[in-house]
Amino acid sequence: MFYHVKELQFNARVSKPDPVFARLLLEQFGGSNGELKAAMQYFTQAFTCKQPYPDKYDLLMDIATEEFSHLEIVGATIQMLLGGINGELKDAAEESEIMQLLDGKAAKESFMHQAMFNPQFAVLSGGGPTLTDSNGTPWTAAYVTANGDLTVDLRSNIASESRAKIVYEYLIKFTEDPYVKETLRFLMTREVAHYQQFEAALSTIQPNFPPGILQSDPRHSNTYYNMSNGAEVRGPWNSGESSQLGETWQYIADPIQYVRETSGLQGLKPTGTDRTEKTVEKMNKALSEERSEEVTSALPKGENQWSTYSK
């Protein structure tokens, strides 16, 4: 159940209208890294968590609802930045300010050219925000990722919060309005908070690497292929031990020769790792049973209902 409170979570303000920046801010209203995408992503992911992981359901629904609040903040800011465009468009008199501005072909072209003002505000939305990105591309459910596995979904969410954070960071550079900067800084900060919350939730699921259930093939999990011609570069991503499995990286300096010598990587044995095919099969079976039990044991026998009420 959603209940709308008319006050914004953060009291958005603007010093003066700025239709140019309003267009840029659309990126966080209906763009691929925006607030609507985040809200729908976490909202969708929450359904598979309700009974087996009620704590994660609570987390996802709380953050999804907050993202809807942020969508409202962004929409309100866009509306204020568009100033009186809606009223001026409804004034049919030639003397209205916008009609004077658009008087004649040259004036109209100048108006359209002026700092990339979004024509959709004038001819489609009537001076209101639209569910598009800054270039007018409509919002799509294709932006949403929900894979039904918490270890996968939480990592997707961490990445989503990272992308949204950097977009706000970029947007701050394109406005001089101190009030708008204040709003954007708040929204950016909440992305940082959500990142940490998702990270903490992921840490409570053990084991959580690799994402999902099936373990990786120990014959190929610690090989690094030097796939570029030129000076070799070494670092912790191709030398020493791997971060999660603790395996020793095997650096393949000449991948072409290696593939040919092994007949297309056939007949290899695990190298630089204690893992074997038998231990992997054992872990696959054990984790499969554990995760399956978590889900099936949470389902009630007979009637199933979503909400519970105290008597």
Side-chain angles (χ1 to χ4, degrees), residues 159-173:
S160 294
E161 296 294 330
S162 300
R163 289 190 295 268
K165 190 265 185 185
I166 201 66
V167 173
Y168 279 122
E169 193 169 318
Y170 292 152
L171 283 169
I172 288 172
K173 299 177 183 295

Side-chain angles (χ1 to χ4, degrees), residues 31-72:
S32 60
N33 297 306
E35 302 295 351
L36 178 60
K37 172 264 176 77
M40 294 309 300
Q41 179 161 304
Y42 310 153
F43 184 74
T44 303
Q45 291 173 355
F47 286 101
T48 56
C49 300
K50 177 64 168 71
Q51 291 177 313
Y53 313 109
D55 56 338
K56 308 306 188 301
Y57 173 82
D58 189 59
L59 167 73
L60 288 166
M61 288 300 293
D62 280 347
I63 297 182
T65 305
E66 185 178 354
E67 300 291 10
F68 281 120
S69 299
H70 295 173
L71 181 70
E72 185 177 20

Side-chain angles (χ1 to χ4, degrees), residues 282-297:
K282 185 177 180 180
M283 289 186 67
N284 285 344
K285 183 178 180 181
L287 190 56
S288 295
E289 292 175 352
E290 179 182 340
R291 293 286 191 262
S292 178
E293 175 63 17
E294 287 175 352
V295 176
T296 56
S297 64

Side-chain angles (χ1 to χ4, degrees), residues 126-202:
T130 57
L131 284 176
T132 69
D133 64 14
S134 56
N135 286 322
T137 304
W139 188 89
T140 169
Y143 296 153
V144 173
T145 60
N147 295 102
D149 186 288
L150 267 177
T151 65
V152 177
D153 285 343
L154 289 172
R155 284 184 168 89
S156 293
N157 298 349
I158 290 170
S160 294
E161 296 294 330
S162 300
R163 289 190 295 268
K165 190 265 185 185
I166 201 66
V167 173
Y168 279 122
E169 193 169 318
Y170 292 152
L171 283 169
I172 288 172
K173 299 177 183 295
F174 287 92
T175 179
E176 298 300 323
D177 191 319
Y179 293 150
V180 175
K181 282 179 178 285
E182 187 180 44
T183 298
L184 297 182
R185 189 175 183 226
F186 165 78
L187 294 168
M188 181 194 74
T189 300
R190 294 308 298 162
E191 310 296 350
V192 177
H194 293 165
Y195 179 109
Q196 296 175 94
Q197 289 159 4
F198 288 132
E199 189 177 45
L202 178 62

Side-chain angles (χ1 to χ4, degrees), residues 211-223:
I213 295 171
L214 298 180
Q215 304 301 300
S216 57
D217 189 329
R219 296 172 297 176
H220 309 293
S221 58
N222 61 335
T223 47

Side-chain angles (χ1 to χ4, degrees), residues 240-255:
E241 289 189 351
S242 59
S243 61
Q244 297 287 340
L245 296 176
E247 300 173 324
T248 302
W249 287 113
Q250 305 298 300
Y251 187 83
I252 311 302
D254 189 342

Side-chain angles (χ1 to χ4, degrees), residues 80-108:
M80 290 186 289
L81 288 171
L82 290 175
I85 288 179
N86 183 272
E88 291 172 359
L89 286 170
K90 287 179 170 54
D91 186 352
E94 288 295 321
E95 290 76 16
S96 66
E97 183 179 349
I98 194 169
M99 289 304 114
Q100 292 177 11
L101 179 63
L102 301 183
D103 185 21
K105 181 180 179 181
K108 289 183 175 66

